Amino acid sequence: MANKRDPRPGEGRPSKYKPEYCDMIIQYFDKPPQQVVYKETYYSDGTLKSREPIVLGAQLPTYQGFAHSIGVDAATLRRWGSDESKPEFCAAYARARELQEHILVVNAIGGQYNSQFAQFYAKNNLGYKDKTEQEVTATVLTDADKALLDRVAKRLQ
């Protein structure tokens, strides 16, 4: 089996990348995190009895969803998002991540998203981590302590 070499410039399948994807990805992710709708109840004569606000969380936009909308896969988006030859897309990709994070945080705090899912998603996709604290203590022996330990050791022999 022959080793594959990297394609030379101009060889291989042409990229599906288009500069307009920069604006499109921002538009896809830039949505209000919540909307308020009202549940209205009426008396039998048709007059308004009550109007109760209900907060609905937006569907979390994903890179997979955006990738599907432009006909590529999420791995391609990640590659474009880290490709230094596409700085405009790198910036748009990073901005989309911030918009996604905002929607997730607002809806997780507001109780519109399942808290376990929100935690899982944030850790696995947004770089969140559990904070762990460790306390390190050390005892420093003085010369007098060392001398005492030496005397005890000699007696035990």
Side-chain angles (χ1 to χ4, degrees), residues 49-130:
K49 179 178 183 179
S50 67
R51 189 167 194 246
E52 183 180 336
I54 300 171
V55 178
L56 301 174
Q59 181 176 342
L60 185 67
T62 64
Y63 287 104
Q64 292 83 357
F66 178 71
H68 176 74
S69 76
I70 63 169
V72 299
D73 58 34
T76 299
L77 285 184
R78 283 191 298 277
R79 195 169 43 255
W80 293 345
S82 62
D83 185 346
E84 293 178 7
S85 70
K86 298 174 178 55
E88 300 84 14
F89 192 81
C90 291
Y93 189 87
R95 179 72 181 128
R97 179 183 164 149
E98 292 172 354
L99 292 166
Q100 181 189 51
E101 180 179 3
H102 175 69
I103 293 169
L104 179 76
V105 169
V106 167
N107 286 303
I109 290 171
Q112 282 74 39
Y113 290 169
N114 175 287
S115 61
Q116 289 178 326
F117 165 76
Q119 183 179 23
F120 172 82
Y121 194 87
K123 286 179 183 178
N124 287 285
N125 295 291
L126 299 173
Y128 282 48
K129 296 178 183 166
D130 285 327

